[in-house]
Amino acid sequence: MATPQHTGLTFEKLVAQIAPEVSNTFTVEQLEAIKRVFNSRVWTRHSLDIRVSVPIPGLRFYLVLLAGSERRSKMRLRSEKCLYPFWTPANTLFVIGFLMILSACGYTIFSVASFSLTPLTTLDYPTSIPWINDKSECEHTSRVWNDGKCWDSEHSPNF
């Protein structure tokens, strides 16, 4: 909920934006009535409130993402739907771009994960075991002695 100071600043900003020829016509009672409306308004924060300036050279660009429980009336929702339609050309391009980036990220993550979970090959490559120099020790470990070396026929390059 906003503090009275915050509401007062908002009210003062509103009055400052009204043309002097109009604001000079307000009576003290009218200004007090408007101020009471501002003070009675309950300002609450959204559950999700992300506001960032996007540093694009040459452009002043910002992004706002708000989410929370819906408290607007059905009548207000209908009027805002007409005032702020979702499927504008800019919104459509943004949604398509966002979905393309999301798809590319998902594909990349899935590819890396599936590649790391599958073995490179199921073939085995025989390899000599350099630390076994004796035929009896080699045969004791269920390997094959050949040409003066101990060979392991089940060696995998994924090891």
Side-chain angles (χ1 to χ4, degrees), residues 3-55:
T3 63
Q5 282 180 327
H6 176 73
T7 306
L9 289 174
T10 305
F11 174 74
E12 296 302 325
K13 285 181 183 178
L14 175 76
V15 171
Q17 291 178 357
I18 299 173
E21 58 271 11
V22 175
S23 64
N24 289 338
T25 65
F26 290 140
T27 66
V28 174
E29 293 82 17
Q30 289 171 326
L31 289 173
E32 287 301 317
I34 294 170
K35 198 169 199 174
R36 274 194 307 275
V37 170
F38 267 85
N39 287 332
S40 69
R41 172 89 168 106
V42 177
W43 298 93
T44 57
R45 295 190 57 88
H46 291 85
S47 301
L48 177 66
D49 188 343
I50 300 173
R51 300 163 190 256
V52 293
S53 292
V54 181

Side-chain angles (χ1 to χ4, degrees), residues 1 4 21 24 33-34 43 70 84 89 91 112 114 116 121 130 141:
M1 187 157 123
E21 58 271 11
N24 289 338
I34 294 170
W43 298 93
E70 183 63 76
Y84 309 106
N91 289 359
V112 168
S114 66
S116 66
T121 180
T141 59

